Amino acid sequence: MKRWAEALARRWEAERAAAESAQTLAPADRWVAVACAVRERGLAHPHEYALIYGSPVPGHIAPTDTVGPASRVAWSSSTSSVPRSWPKP
């Protein structure tokens, strides 16, 4: 569990750095920049990517108590960079 948390923290740090450097971009471009940073991190550290997102196993059905926490990882990536860039009403 400790390795997973450390890998996730490093992934989030890469995401935050990309979001900060893309602050002046349009929301869609900022989202793309963050997605590319997460992808680049995954390509550079495939063992950590597999640790975070798992490797598919044919026929395996994940226990229901693990689905929620796992979906939060993907959700944080897709939402963390864009809302801060939306104009305030």
Side-chain angles (χ1 to χ4, degrees):
M1 183 67 151
K2 183 179 178 184
R3 287 184 185 171
W4 178 82
E6 291 170 349
L8 189 58
R10 285 188 289 271
R11 194 209 48 67
W12 278 338
E13 184 53 40
E15 181 181 319
R16 276 189 223 108
E20 288 297 317
S21 68
Q23 258 182 332
T24 60
L25 299 178
D29 294 332
R30 187 173 180 177
W31 188 89
V32 169
V34 171
C36 287
V38 171
R39 181 180 185 273
E40 289 170 12
R41 173 94 186 136
L43 291 172
H45 304 277
H47 58 288
E48 288 187 359
Y49 186 89
L51 188 61
I52 294 169
Y53 296 103
S55 299
V57 177
H60 173 71
I61 298 174
T64 55
D65 62 330
T66 65
V67 174
S71 65
R72 284 192 294 272
V73 172
W75 180 248
S76 70
S77 286
S78 65
T79 60
S80 66
S81 63
V82 176
R84 286 179 282 191
S85 63
W86 288 348
K88 298 204 189 291

